[in-house]
Protein backbone atom coordinates (compact mmCIF):
# COMPACT_ATOMS: atom_id res chain seq x y z
CA UNK A 1 0.00 0.00 0.00
CA UNK A 2 1.48 3.37 -1.07
CA UNK A 3 1.09 6.29 1.34
CA UNK A 4 1.07 10.02 0.71
CA UNK A 5 2.96 12.16 3.20
CA UNK A 6 1.96 15.66 4.32
CA UNK A 7 4.30 17.63 6.56
CA UNK A 8 2.15 20.24 8.30
CA UNK A 9 3.71 23.05 10.29
CA UNK A 10 1.13 24.58 12.61
CA UNK A 11 0.58 26.19 15.99
CA UNK A 12 0.92 23.65 18.81
CA UNK A 13 -2.64 24.13 20.06
CA UNK A 14 -4.01 22.99 16.68
CA UNK A 15 -2.14 19.68 16.44
CA UNK A 16 -4.81 17.52 18.06
CA UNK A 17 -7.61 19.31 16.20
CA UNK A 18 -5.92 18.74 12.84
CA UNK A 19 -5.26 15.07 13.65
CA UNK A 20 -8.95 14.60 14.43
CA UNK A 21 -10.10 16.43 11.31
CA UNK A 22 -7.66 14.57 9.06
CA UNK A 23 -8.79 11.26 10.57
CA UNK A 24 -12.33 12.08 9.43
CA UNK A 25 -11.20 12.23 5.77
CA UNK A 26 -9.16 9.05 5.69
CA UNK A 27 -5.77 9.86 7.22
CA UNK A 28 -4.78 6.98 9.48
CA UNK A 29 -1.23 7.64 10.61
CA UNK A 30 0.43 10.61 12.30
CA UNK A 31 3.73 11.66 13.83
CA UNK A 32 3.93 14.74 16.03
CA UNK A 33 7.03 16.82 15.28
CA UNK A 34 8.66 19.89 16.78
CA UNK A 35 6.88 22.10 14.22
CA UNK A 36 3.53 20.33 13.89
CA UNK A 37 2.51 16.94 12.49
CA UNK A 38 3.35 14.56 9.69
CA UNK A 39 0.16 12.99 8.33
CA UNK A 40 -0.18 9.91 6.13
CA UNK A 41 -2.97 8.51 3.99
CA UNK A 42 -3.22 5.58 1.53
CA UNK A 43 -2.86 7.02 -1.96
CA UNK A 44 -6.01 5.28 -3.21
CA UNK A 45 -8.10 6.81 -0.39
CA UNK A 46 -7.00 10.42 -0.80
CA UNK A 47 -9.62 13.00 -1.80
CA UNK A 48 -7.94 16.21 -2.86
CA UNK A 49 -11.03 18.41 -2.55
CA UNK A 50 -11.75 17.37 1.04
CA UNK A 51 -8.12 17.83 2.04
CA UNK A 52 -7.77 21.26 0.43
CA UNK A 53 -11.01 22.42 2.02
CA UNK A 54 -9.85 21.32 5.47
CA UNK A 55 -6.45 23.01 5.13
CA UNK A 56 -8.02 26.27 3.96
CA UNK A 57 -10.40 26.32 6.94
CA UNK A 58 -7.49 26.18 9.38
CA UNK A 59 -4.68 27.79 7.36
CA UNK A 60 -4.79 31.25 8.91
CA UNK A 61 -5.84 30.38 12.46
CA UNK A 62 -3.30 27.55 12.78
CA UNK A 63 -0.63 29.31 10.67
CA UNK A 64 -0.30 26.23 8.48
CA UNK A 65 2.64 25.64 6.18
CA UNK A 66 2.35 22.51 4.07
CA UNK A 67 4.79 20.23 2.26
CA UNK A 68 3.48 17.27 0.24
CA UNK A 69 5.11 14.12 -1.04
CA UNK A 70 5.04 10.34 -1.17
CA UNK A 71 6.11 8.54 1.94
CA UNK A 72 9.72 7.43 1.66
CA UNK A 73 10.54 3.93 2.77
CA UNK A 74 11.65 4.38 6.37
CA UNK A 75 12.42 2.32 9.42
CA UNK A 76 9.27 3.07 11.41
CA UNK A 77 10.64 1.62 14.62
CA UNK A 78 13.54 4.06 14.34
CA UNK A 79 11.17 6.97 13.67
CA UNK A 80 9.02 6.13 16.67
CA UNK A 81 12.13 5.76 18.83
CA UNK A 82 12.92 9.40 18.03
CA UNK A 83 9.41 10.67 18.75
CA UNK A 84 7.77 8.33 21.25
CA UNK A 85 8.23 8.69 25.01
CA UNK A 86 6.73 6.35 27.64
CA UNK A 87 3.51 7.42 29.33
CA UNK A 88 1.85 6.58 32.65
CA UNK A 89 -1.89 6.47 33.36
CA UNK A 90 -1.83 7.14 37.08
CA UNK A 91 -0.41 4.07 38.79
CA UNK A 92 -2.62 1.83 36.65
CA UNK A 93 -0.33 1.24 33.69
CA UNK A 94 3.02 2.26 32.26
CA UNK A 95 3.04 2.25 28.46
CA UNK A 96 6.44 1.97 26.82
CA UNK A 97 8.12 0.79 23.64
CA UNK A 98 10.40 -2.23 23.60
CA UNK A 99 13.43 0.08 23.40
CA UNK A 100 12.49 1.75 26.73
CA UNK A 101 13.45 0.24 30.10
CA UNK A 102 10.78 -1.15 32.39
CA UNK A 103 9.64 0.92 35.40
CA UNK A 104 8.42 -0.19 38.81
CA UNK A 105 5.54 1.38 40.73
CA UNK A 106 2.74 0.53 38.30
CA UNK A 107 0.11 -2.19 38.52
CA UNK A 108 0.55 -3.07 34.86
CA UNK A 109 2.93 -2.47 32.00
CA UNK A 110 2.14 -2.46 28.28
CA UNK A 111 4.80 -2.70 25.59
CA UNK A 112 3.74 -1.02 22.34
CA UNK A 113 5.79 -0.63 19.16
CA UNK A 114 3.22 1.49 17.32
CA UNK A 115 4.76 1.85 13.85
CA UNK A 116 1.99 3.67 11.93
CA UNK A 117 -0.99 2.51 13.99
CA UNK A 118 -3.08 4.76 16.21
CA UNK A 119 -3.09 4.21 19.96
CA UNK A 120 -0.04 4.72 22.14
CA UNK A 121 -1.63 6.22 25.24
CA UNK A 122 -0.37 9.69 24.31
CA UNK A 123 -3.56 10.78 22.61
CA UNK A 124 -6.21 12.03 25.04
CA UNK A 125 -8.78 9.50 23.80
CA UNK A 126 -6.55 6.47 24.36
CA UNK A 127 -5.46 7.80 27.75
CA UNK A 128 -9.07 8.16 28.88
CA UNK A 129 -10.08 4.73 27.57
CA UNK A 130 -7.24 3.10 29.52
CA UNK A 131 -8.24 5.02 32.64
CA UNK A 132 -11.89 3.96 32.30
CA UNK A 133 -10.88 0.35 31.74
CA UNK A 134 -9.05 0.49 35.06
CA UNK A 135 -12.34 1.46 36.73
CA UNK A 136 -14.20 -1.65 35.52
CA UNK A 137 -13.96 -5.28 36.61
CA UNK A 138 -12.50 -7.25 33.69
CA UNK A 139 -11.83 -10.46 35.63
CA UNK A 140 -13.21 -13.43 33.68
CA UNK A 141 -15.04 -11.14 31.22
CA UNK A 142 -15.46 -11.35 27.43
CA UNK A 143 -14.17 -8.13 25.85
CA UNK A 144 -14.46 -6.78 22.30
CA UNK A 145 -12.10 -4.06 21.01
CA UNK A 146 -13.52 -2.35 17.91
CA UNK A 147 -11.02 -0.59 15.63
CA UNK A 148 -8.15 -1.83 17.73
CA UNK A 149 -5.23 0.03 16.10
CA UNK A 150 -2.08 -0.89 18.00
CA UNK A 151 -4.12 -3.26 20.18
CA UNK A 152 -3.39 -1.25 23.32
CA UNK A 153 -6.93 -1.44 24.75
CA UNK A 154 -7.17 -5.16 24.04
CA UNK A 155 -3.86 -5.65 25.83
CA UNK A 156 -5.15 -3.63 28.79
CA UNK A 157 -8.24 -5.86 28.95
CA UNK A 158 -6.00 -8.93 28.96
CA UNK A 159 -3.84 -7.55 31.77
CA UNK A 160 -6.96 -6.71 33.79
CA UNK A 161 -7.98 -10.37 33.73
CA UNK A 162 -10.38 -10.75 30.80
CA UNK A 163 -10.99 -14.40 29.97
CA UNK A 164 -11.37 -13.66 26.25
CA UNK A 165 -10.43 -10.64 24.14
CA UNK A 166 -11.45 -10.17 20.52
CA UNK A 167 -10.07 -7.33 18.42
CA UNK A 168 -10.14 -6.16 14.81
CA UNK A 169 -9.28 -3.20 12.58
CA UNK A 170 -10.01 -2.13 9.00
CA UNK A 171 -6.34 -1.55 8.14
CA UNK A 172 -4.09 -4.52 7.36
CA UNK A 173 -1.08 -2.55 8.62
CA UNK A 174 -2.79 -2.14 12.01
CA UNK A 175 -3.62 -5.84 12.10
CA UNK A 176 0.02 -6.80 11.54
CA UNK A 177 1.21 -4.25 14.08
CA UNK A 178 -1.48 -5.23 16.59
CA UNK A 179 -0.54 -8.88 16.41
CA UNK A 180 3.12 -7.99 16.98
CA UNK A 181 2.11 -6.00 20.06
CA UNK A 182 -0.06 -8.88 21.28
CA UNK A 183 3.00 -11.11 21.06
CA UNK A 184 5.10 -8.58 22.97
CA UNK A 185 2.55 -8.70 25.80
CA UNK A 186 2.09 -12.46 25.92
CA UNK A 187 -1.34 -12.61 24.25
CA UNK A 188 -2.54 -15.48 22.08
CA UNK A 189 -5.34 -13.35 20.57
CA UNK A 190 -5.08 -12.60 16.84
CA UNK A 191 -6.50 -9.36 15.46
CA UNK A 192 -9.12 -9.66 12.72
CA UNK A 193 -9.33 -7.56 9.54
CA UNK A 194 -12.46 -5.66 8.51
CA UNK A 195 -15.35 -3.56 9.78
CA UNK A 196 -17.58 -4.83 12.56
CA UNK A 197 -20.14 -5.89 9.95
CA UNK A 198 -17.53 -7.84 8.02
CA UNK A 199 -15.90 -9.47 11.06
CA UNK A 200 -19.32 -10.19 12.61
CA UNK A 201 -18.13 -10.91 16.17
CA UNK A 202 -20.34 -13.27 18.13
CA UNK A 203 -21.64 -11.88 21.42
CA UNK A 204 -22.58 -11.48 24.06
CA UNK A 205 -19.68 -9.50 25.52
CA UNK A 206 -19.33 -8.07 29.00
CA UNK A 207 -17.38 -5.05 27.75
CA UNK A 208 -17.18 -3.42 24.31
CA UNK A 209 -14.44 -0.85 23.62
CA UNK A 210 -14.62 1.58 20.68
CA UNK A 211 -12.16 4.44 20.26
CA UNK A 212 -12.85 5.55 16.68
CA UNK A 213 -14.65 8.75 15.68
CA UNK A 214 -18.12 10.19 16.14
CA UNK A 215 -19.53 9.26 12.74
CA UNK A 216 -18.46 5.62 12.95
CA UNK A 217 -19.66 5.36 16.55
CA UNK A 218 -23.11 6.71 15.66
CA UNK A 219 -23.33 4.36 12.70
CA UNK A 220 -22.28 1.26 14.65
CA UNK A 221 -23.62 1.85 18.16
CA UNK A 222 -26.73 -0.25 17.57
CA UNK A 223 -24.43 -3.19 16.79
CA UNK A 224 -22.38 -2.56 19.93
CA UNK A 225 -25.56 -2.54 22.03
CA UNK A 226 -26.75 -5.80 20.48
CA UNK A 227 -23.45 -7.49 21.33
CA UNK A 228 -23.53 -6.50 25.01
CA UNK A 229 -24.79 -8.67 27.84
CA UNK A 230 -27.42 -7.12 30.11
CA UNK A 231 -25.55 -4.81 32.51
CA UNK A 232 -22.53 -4.95 30.17
CA UNK A 233 -20.43 -1.83 29.60
CA UNK A 234 -19.74 0.16 26.45
CA UNK A 235 -16.67 2.43 26.55
CA UNK A 236 -16.48 5.07 23.82
CA UNK A 237 -14.01 7.75 22.79
CA UNK A 238 -12.70 9.50 19.68
CA UNK A 239 -14.97 12.55 19.77
CA UNK A 240 -15.11 16.06 21.21
CA UNK A 241 -16.81 17.16 24.42
CA UNK A 242 -19.53 18.89 22.41
CA UNK A 243 -20.45 15.56 20.78
CA UNK A 244 -21.25 13.79 24.07
CA UNK A 245 -24.94 14.68 24.01
CA UNK A 246 -25.48 13.09 20.58
CA UNK A 247 -23.87 9.83 21.66
CA UNK A 248 -25.61 9.67 25.04
CA UNK A 249 -28.95 10.41 23.38
CA UNK A 250 -28.54 7.60 20.87
CA UNK A 251 -27.35 5.27 23.60
CA UNK A 252 -30.49 5.95 25.61
CA UNK A 253 -32.64 4.95 22.63
CA UNK A 254 -30.67 1.72 22.39
CA UNK A 255 -31.12 0.83 26.06
CA UNK A 256 -27.76 2.13 27.24
CA UNK A 257 -27.64 4.18 30.42
CA UNK A 258 -25.09 6.94 30.87
CA UNK A 259 -22.64 6.13 33.67
CA UNK A 260 -19.73 8.53 33.29
CA UNK A 261 -18.18 11.20 31.05
CA UNK A 262 -14.58 12.36 31.15
CA UNK A 263 -12.77 15.01 29.13
CA UNK A 264 -9.12 15.69 28.39
CA UNK A 265 -7.89 18.43 26.06
CA UNK A 266 -11.51 18.78 24.82
CA UNK A 267 -11.59 15.09 23.83
CA UNK A 268 -14.31 13.11 25.59
CA UNK A 269 -14.88 9.51 26.66
CA UNK A 270 -18.02 7.77 27.86
CA UNK A 271 -19.02 4.77 29.92
CA UNK A 272 -22.50 3.46 29.07
CA UNK A 273 -24.20 0.41 30.57
CA UNK A 274 -26.82 -1.81 28.98
CA UNK A 275 -30.13 -1.93 30.85
CA UNK A 276 -30.75 -5.39 32.33
Amino acid sequence: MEYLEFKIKCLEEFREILIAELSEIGFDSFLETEDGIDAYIPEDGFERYAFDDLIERYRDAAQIQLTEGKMPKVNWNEEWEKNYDPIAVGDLVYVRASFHPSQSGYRHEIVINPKMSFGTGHHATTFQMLKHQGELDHQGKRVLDVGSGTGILAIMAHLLGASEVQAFDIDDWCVDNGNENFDLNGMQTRMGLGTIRQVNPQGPFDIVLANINKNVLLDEMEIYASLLKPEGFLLLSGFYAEDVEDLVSLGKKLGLNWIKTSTRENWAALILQKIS
Side-chain angles (χ1 to χ4, degrees):
M1 182 187 301
E2 294 294 320
Y3 271 76
L4 300 178
E5 177 184 58
F6 296 85
K7 294 183 176 293
I8 303 172
K9 291 184 179 181
C10 65
L11 295 177
E12 184 174 359
E13 59 265 32
F14 280 87
R15 289 183 186 179
E16 298 290 354
I17 295 171
L18 288 171
I19 288 173
E21 293 276 18
L22 290 165
S23 296
E24 293 279 354
I25 61 171
F27 282 76
D28 59 10
S29 308
F30 304 90
L31 279 175
E32 293 196 30
T33 66
E34 290 185 1
D35 299 320
I37 59 173
D38 294 347
Y40 302 88
I41 186 172
E43 189 171 15
D44 59 6
F46 179 64
E47 296 183 5
R48 169 61 65 178
Y49 174 81
F51 176 76
D52 288 346
D53 178 67
L54 189 159
I55 294 299
E56 285 307 312
R57 281 190 282 121
Y58 287 96
R59 186 181 296 277
D60 293 338
Q63 299 180 19
I64 288 176
Q65 298 179 46
L66 179 67
T67 304
E68 302 184 19
K70 279 197 175 179
M71 186 187 77
K73 291 188 176 181
V74 297
N75 182 333
W76 279 98
N77 283 334
E78 183 178 310
E79 290 301 304
W80 276 106
E81 188 166 353
K82 295 175 185 174
N83 293 282
Y84 172 36
D85 295 322
I87 190 167
V89 180
D91 67 350
L92 171 67
V93 62
Y94 182 71
V95 183
R96 66 176 180 87
S98 58
F99 45 78
H100 295 134
S102 183
Q103 292 285 343
S104 60
Y106 300 92
R107 285 180 277 163
H108 304 286
E109 181 175 85
I110 294 177
V111 180
I112 292 288
N113 287 340
K115 295 187 177 178
M116 290 174 64
S117 304
F118 177 81
T120 62
H122 289 76
H123 195 275
T125 59
T126 311
F127 184 98
Q128 290 179 94
M129 289 288 282
L130 290 169
K131 188 171 185 294
H132 284 179
Q133 282 185 267
E135 297 166 1
L136 297 181
D137 179 16
H138 284 60
Q139 197 67 41
K141 308 296 187 183
R142 294 189 77 219
V143 179
L144 177 67
D145 184 15
V146 181
S148 193
T150 60
I152 187 170
L153 303 183
I155 295 168
M156 187 77 260
H158 168 72
L159 294 176
L160 289 170
S163 61
E164 179 184 356
V165 182
Q166 295 185 28
F168 60 89
D169 199 281
I170 63 171
D171 192 315
D172 53 2
W173 186 294
C174 290
V175 172
D176 291 342
N177 181 213
N179 285 331
E180 291 175 7
N181 290 327
F182 289 165
D183 291 339
L184 286 172
N185 292 274
M187 289 179 65
Q188 300 300 313
T189 299
R190 295 297 87 181
M191 192 180 293
L193 175 64
T195 67
I196 194 166
R197 293 179 175 90
Q198 293 167 335
V199 174
N200 192 28
Q202 299 302 300
F205 293 92
D206 299 282
I207 301 171
V208 174
L209 311 166
N211 181 16
I212 312 177
N213 65 61
K214 178 186 176 183
N215 293 334
V216 173
L217 295 177
L218 290 173
D219 175 59
E220 297 182 349
M221 198 185 300
E222 184 174 2
I223 302 174
Y224 307 158
S226 71
L227 291 170
L228 275 174
K229 291 181 180 179
E231 300 186 3
F233 292 96
L234 174 62
L235 276 60
L236 302 176
S237 195
F239 48 89
Y240 297 127
E242 52 265 33
D243 298 323
V244 166
E245 185 177 346
D246 291 340
L247 291 157
V248 171
S249 177
L250 177 58
K252 186 175 181 180
K253 294 176 183 177
L254 298 171
L256 301 169
N257 282 336
W258 171 83
I259 300 297
K260 183 175 182 178
T261 301
S262 66
T263 59
R264 183 180 174 90
E265 300 167 6
N266 201 42
W267 291 96
L270 287 170
I271 301 178
L272 304 175
Q273 185 174 29
K274 188 169 183 176
I275 298 171
S276 59

